[in-house]
Amino acid sequence: MPYISINSRVRLYYEEKGNGTPLLFIHPPGMGHVVFCRQKPLARDFRLILYDMRGNGRSSPSDGPITVPLLADDLSVLLRSLGIGRAIICGYSSGGSVALDFALRYPQHVKQLILIGGFPEVCTPLLWGEFWLGISAAKLRAIPLLSLALALGHGTNQRERRLLRRYAQMANKRDLEAAYRAGLVYRCTEQLSSLRLPVLLIYGARDRYIHFYITIFRRYVPHAGVVLIDQARHQIPTKHSEEMNLPHLCL
């Protein structure tokens, strides 16, 4: 299995396939790289890179407190270890916070930033509630229940649901709680105006509780492109992969 070492205690699991422009996906806490299983056809056009953040899936537990900048630094080490100077960085849901932090602090390594259902801060009641549900599930050791909810919400068939559920149960409970807490307090809204690189925002047309954040992005990043996927809610990578996997979206 391919791993890269962050240090002597933390290793990250990754998979890569294909050639061309590097395209890397960042998952939200608990889901691991398997949430992008339907993005693998993109390897026909890109050098596709999927990985598990520390504390998730096959990667090591964290050796210190998890923060969004720490996860972004891990990404920097991963790209450097793979010999990648610039890549398209795509973050899904709260994985978008890691993508944003990386783009803000390492813009020279980002060819394009893509956020799927992304947000620069948690400032709406429904999103705040979702984070606290994740924190509570991890704190109360209700990972089986959380994994079931994630699998049912994202899976499109029984096999996919089993895979997603099994992978979510591999998350380190302490790190999962810490990752949810880190995402809850992360805020980069005022820094967004410094983004000069290409930005693409992808949202589900029916994911209305997250649409408020489109307004924020349009204010601070007026050059960002916005794509609304018809009939989609939040779970775009699995449930609307055909629309999302159009190569022109990543150019």
Side-chain angles (χ1 to χ4, degrees), residues 4-184:
I4 65 101
S5 295
I6 300 297
N7 54 43
S8 60
R9 297 174 298 279
V10 177
R11 296 195 308 160
L12 300 185
Y13 174 82
Y14 73 94
E15 296 181 1
E16 65 172 328
K17 184 179 181 182
N19 298 293
T21 300
L23 170 59
L24 182 142
F25 285 91
I26 307 173
H27 64 83
M31 301 217 70
H33 78 279
V34 295
V35 74
F36 302 117
C37 60
R38 290 182 174 268
Q39 275 61 67
K40 290 186 177 181
L42 285 168
R44 292 192 296 262
D45 300 285
F46 300 95
R47 180 182 176 185
L48 182 67
I49 302 159
L50 310 177
Y51 78 109
D52 295 334
M53 292 189 293
R54 62 168 68 199
N56 290 267
R58 294 186 174 98
S59 291
S60 306
S62 184
D63 61 340
I66 286 182
T67 65
V68 171
L70 175 68
L71 298 176
D73 288 340
D74 286 351
L75 175 54
S76 176
V77 175
L78 174 62
L79 291 178
R80 186 168 63 248
S81 298
L82 295 176
I84 296 173
R86 294 178 74 219
I88 299 171
I89 304 296
C90 183
Y92 169 46
S93 193
S94 55
S97 298
V98 180
L100 277 167
D101 195 75
F102 183 80
L104 288 165
R105 294 196 295 120
Y106 299 97
Q108 70 276 19
H109 298 309
V110 182
K111 181 178 178 64
Q112 180 183 15
L113 175 65
I114 302 175
L115 303 178
I116 308 165
F119 40 86
E121 61 178 286
V122 178
C123 60
T124 55
L126 282 174
L127 188 57
W128 186 89
E130 283 201 359
F131 271 82
W132 269 106
L133 282 174
I135 291 170
S136 300
K139 190 173 184 178
L140 297 173
R141 300 188 178 276
I143 303 299
L145 183 60
L146 177 62
S147 66
L148 177 61
L150 291 172
L152 291 176
H154 287 79
T156 61
N157 55 57
Q158 188 174 3
R159 178 181 174 277
E160 200 169 70
R161 286 189 286 270
R162 281 199 303 265
L163 173 65
L164 292 166
R165 187 177 186 185
R166 177 177 61 83
Y167 221 78
Q169 290 178 338
M170 295 168 67
N172 180 278
K173 298 176 180 62
R174 179 198 63 194
D175 291 343
L176 185 60
E177 179 184 352
Y180 275 119
R181 290 186 182 276
L184 182 61

